[in-house]
Amino acid sequence: MGIQERKTRHKEDLRKRILEAAKKLFLTAGYEATSIRKIAKEIEFSPTTIYLYYKDKSDIIYALHQEGFQLLRQNFQPLMQVESPFERLKALGRCYIKFAFEHPDFYELMFVMKDPMEHLEINCVEASWEDGERVFDFLLKTVRDGQDQGYFKGLDATHVAMEAWASVHGMCALYVSGHLRSMMHVVFGDEDQERMIENAFRVLVHYLESTK
Amino acid sequence: MGIQERKTRHKEDLRKRILEAAKKLFLTAGYEATSIRKIAKEIEFSPTTIYLYYKDKSDIIYALHQEGFQLLRQNFQPLMQVESPFERLKALGRCYIKFAFEHPDFYELMFVMKDPMEHLEINCVEASWEDGERVFDFLLKTVRDGQDQGYFKGLDATHVAMEAWASVHGMCALYVSGHLRSMMHVVFGDEDQERMIENAFRVLVHYLESTK
DNA sequence: AAAAATAGTGAACACTGTTAAGTTTCACAA
DNA sequence: TTGTGAAACTTAACAGTGTTCACTATTTTT
């Protein structure tokens, strides 16, 4: 069975190499440039070979989507240790925004693009978006912990979490899509995008804080 | 000059017909289905003819983007008469969300897709996003009017407006991209998307109200 | 009537995702 | 050692995309 094993490993290897090539193209040249043919050229195989390892393009895109969430969770890891729920909530927001600024392509793939969600609905049973669920659960738990400390009185934790997510996502989405940029040097002065979002985030934190 | 005029009118006519065909395809079959060739087939002209009236595809897409803003402003029109700034602010938010739910394709084109912003940066001098500016200015003015009535004490109007926009945009963006949908029947019960956003919006309104 | 400007088109280029059919490689049984 | 069958991979093609160039009619102007 040694040979069979080696073959399997070799096969898994190529699957991984395809994803690595896709990631490289995606991060250096963007989504548009990540074509099956270019991935094939990158790993020096024929385009059709890729279809032996991934069902279709959306399958590869979804795998990248998942890699993005792995990266995000790595960023969240240290926040687990913050004991004060409110501090943790603030840090969570800041970390989320930082991620979007540092990895705009990943952010778009994870929270803006329709393709991965469509892939999910078509290919996965019960269409469960586990990656999104895990992130939201962390946020929801933090909000609930905050309620135990007297924050968000008379408000539903789910709705508070949803509002907070939407708020921060809105800022990040406007940033990665370029809408914020197009707005900036028209409406405001020299204040840069990062600073603008920082200030908007402060307003949100102010709101959250004043619920105690 | 009668003949010259008629010809010009005829030419403008075809330009309009191209846009109408593009809009029809866009609204019935989505962005992906709106190809130059399909637009050409719709108006029964050769694909190359379209290039005599529009510089390229992004030029058509941007024209649609502008049509969307015209429609949004029409929706905003009645709100101008609301005298109470806070009531106007609430109505503005609700109207914005309603627009996104009623015209998700337009919403995506106007506030999510990168293409129109890129078109702007490439083709327009000073890259001024006038459409976005006008909407934001209306929001900003409403916030300032609210401040005159004692709301948003100690907060910068621009940052309050930005936070509010991001908040509501976040909800709409999560809706139109399908991320909210993928989340719903995993994390929450039967509560539908519209209801969820309604509740999140209520939370935002609660925050805003409590600044007085 | 000749020249010039205008409007529109056909064919092609360089791409895209994807599939059907064919070829090469290679472990394993006779 | 040779034949066999499966696995791995490729070639060629299909149907589509945005876009451009060279060409043809048509109409206006000289």
Side-chain angles (χ1 to χ4, degrees):
Chain A
M1 287 296 154
I3 289 159
Q4 196 65 16
E5 212 175 282
R6 201 203 60 214
K7 279 194 112 179
T8 309
R9 207 172 55 233
H10 191 74
K11 186 142 183 167
E12 278 306 308
D13 222 61
L14 190 43
R15 211 182 129 87
K16 214 171 251 175
R17 275 174 59 205
I18 290 169
L19 196 62
E20 285 306 309
K23 188 157 91 178
K24 183 183 167 187
L25 282 167
F26 177 73
L27 292 175
T28 58
Y31 177 74
E32 297 294 295
T34 311
S35 74
I36 297 278
R37 280 173 163 88
K38 278 178 191 161
I39 296 168
K41 191 160 274 180
E42 186 73 32
I43 57 168
E44 292 179 294
F45 275 87
S46 125
T48 41
T49 302
I50 290 176
Y51 287 88
L52 301 172
Y53 296 87
Y54 288 94
K55 198 194 148 231
D56 54 21
K57 197 191 173 180
S58 90
D59 206 8
I60 299 171
I61 293 303
Y62 185 69
L64 280 179
H65 165 106
Q66 287 179 305
E67 281 223 352
F69 271 95
Q70 213 176 316
L71 187 62
L72 181 62
R73 284 194 298 268
Q74 272 170 33
N75 279 262
F76 281 168
Q77 202 75 37
L79 306 180
M80 306 277 202
Q81 266 84 35
V82 180
E83 61 239 81
S84 157
F86 197 80
E87 287 304 315
R88 194 163 70 232
L89 190 61
K90 280 198 285 183
L92 189 55
R94 257 179 236 288
C95 186
Y96 188 94
I97 291 167
K98 184 162 161 274
F99 178 85
F101 271 78
E102 279 174 2
H103 313 284
D105 304 285
F106 265 130
Y107 189 85
E108 223 183 330
L109 198 60
M110 292 157 69
F111 297 109
V112 178
M113 281 177 54
K114 293 170 118 176
D115 311 42
M117 293 298 108
E118 278 160 11
H119 175 92
L120 211 61
E121 296 223 337
I122 293 164
N123 296 285
C124 306
V125 212
E126 263 305 312
S128 75
W129 185 35
E130 226 180 281
D131 290 309
E133 190 188 355
R134 283 171 73 176
V135 171
F136 191 84
D137 275 350
F138 184 30
L139 170 61
L140 191 56
K141 197 197 164 295
T142 306
V143 170
R144 291 210 169 109
D145 289 349
Q147 282 186 314
D148 293 342
Q149 307 243 323
Y151 288 96
F152 323 123
K153 269 179 290 189
L155 295 170
D156 184 298
T158 307
H159 303 151
V160 170
M162 188 73 227
E163 202 286 328
W165 181 33
S167 209
V168 175
H169 167 66
M171 300 173 199
C172 297
L174 289 171
Y175 169 70
V176 302
S177 67
H179 286 78
L180 185 61
R181 198 184 124 77
S182 290
M183 197 90 139
M184 287 304 285
H185 56 94
V186 175
V187 178
F188 327 108
D190 310 340
E191 196 175 20
D192 69 309
Q193 298 179 75
E194 199 155 3
R195 206 180 149 79
M196 178 83 251
I197 286 190
E198 171 65 30
N199 283 321
F201 182 71
R202 268 197 237 277
V203 171
L204 173 63
V205 169
H206 174 90
Y207 293 158
L208 295 170
E209 203 142 31
S210 59
T211 58
K212 189 168 183 176
Chain B
M1 286 296 153
I3 290 161
Q4 195 65 16
E5 214 176 282
R6 201 204 60 212
K7 279 196 111 181
T8 309
R9 207 171 52 235
H10 191 75
K11 186 143 182 164
E12 278 304 310
D13 222 60
L14 190 45
R15 210 183 130 86
K16 216 170 249 174
R17 276 174 60 205
I18 290 168
L19 197 62
E20 284 306 309
K23 189 157 89 179
K24 182 183 167 188
L25 282 167
F26 177 73
L27 291 175
T28 58
Y31 177 75
E32 297 293 297
T34 312
S35 74
I36 297 278
R37 281 174 164 89
K38 278 179 191 160
I39 295 169
K41 191 160 274 180
E42 186 73 31
I43 56 168
E44 291 180 294
F45 275 87
S46 126
T48 41
T49 302
I50 291 177
Y51 287 88
L52 300 173
Y53 297 86
Y54 288 94
K55 201 196 146 229
D56 54 20
K57 196 191 172 179
S58 90
D59 206 8
I60 301 173
I61 292 303
Y62 185 70
L64 280 178
H65 164 105
Q66 285 178 306
E67 282 224 351
F69 271 95
Q70 213 176 315
L71 187 61
L72 180 64
R73 284 194 298 268
Q74 273 171 32
N75 278 261
F76 281 168
Q77 202 74 37
L79 306 181
M80 305 277 202
Q81 265 83 35
V82 180
E83 62 237 82
S84 158
F86 198 79
E87 286 306 314
R88 194 163 71 231
L89 190 60
K90 280 198 285 183
L92 189 55
R94 257 178 238 287
C95 186
Y96 188 94
I97 291 168
K98 184 162 161 274
F99 178 86
F101 271 78
E102 278 173 3
H103 314 284
D105 303 286
F106 265 131
Y107 189 84
E108 223 184 330
L109 197 61
M110 294 156 69
F111 297 109
V112 179
M113 281 177 54
K114 294 170 117 176
D115 311 43
M117 293 299 108
E118 278 161 11
H119 174 92
L120 210 61
E121 297 224 336
I122 294 165
N123 296 287
C124 306
V125 211
E126 264 304 312
S128 73
W129 185 36
E130 228 180 279
D131 290 309
E133 190 187 355
R134 283 171 72 176
V135 171
F136 191 84
D137 275 350
F138 184 30
L139 169 63
L140 191 56
K141 196 197 165 294
T142 306
V143 169
R144 291 208 169 111
D145 290 350
Q147 281 186 317
D148 293 343
Q149 306 245 323
Y151 288 95
F152 322 122
K153 271 180 289 191
L155 295 169
D156 182 297
T158 307
H159 302 151
V160 170
M162 188 73 229
E163 202 284 329
W165 181 33
S167 213
V168 176
H169 168 65
M171 298 173 201
C172 296
L174 289 172
Y175 169 71
V176 302
S177 67
H179 286 79
L180 185 59
R181 196 183 124 76
S182 291
M183 198 89 136
M184 287 303 285
H185 55 94
V186 174
V187 177
F188 326 107
D190 308 339
E191 197 175 17
D192 69 309
Q193 296 179 76
E194 199 155 4
R195 206 181 148 78
M196 177 83 249
I197 286 188
E198 171 64 32
N199 283 320
F201 182 71
R202 269 196 236 279
V203 170
L204 173 64
V205 170
H206 174 91
Y207 293 158
L208 295 170
E209 203 142 33
S210 60
T211 58
K212 188 167 185 176

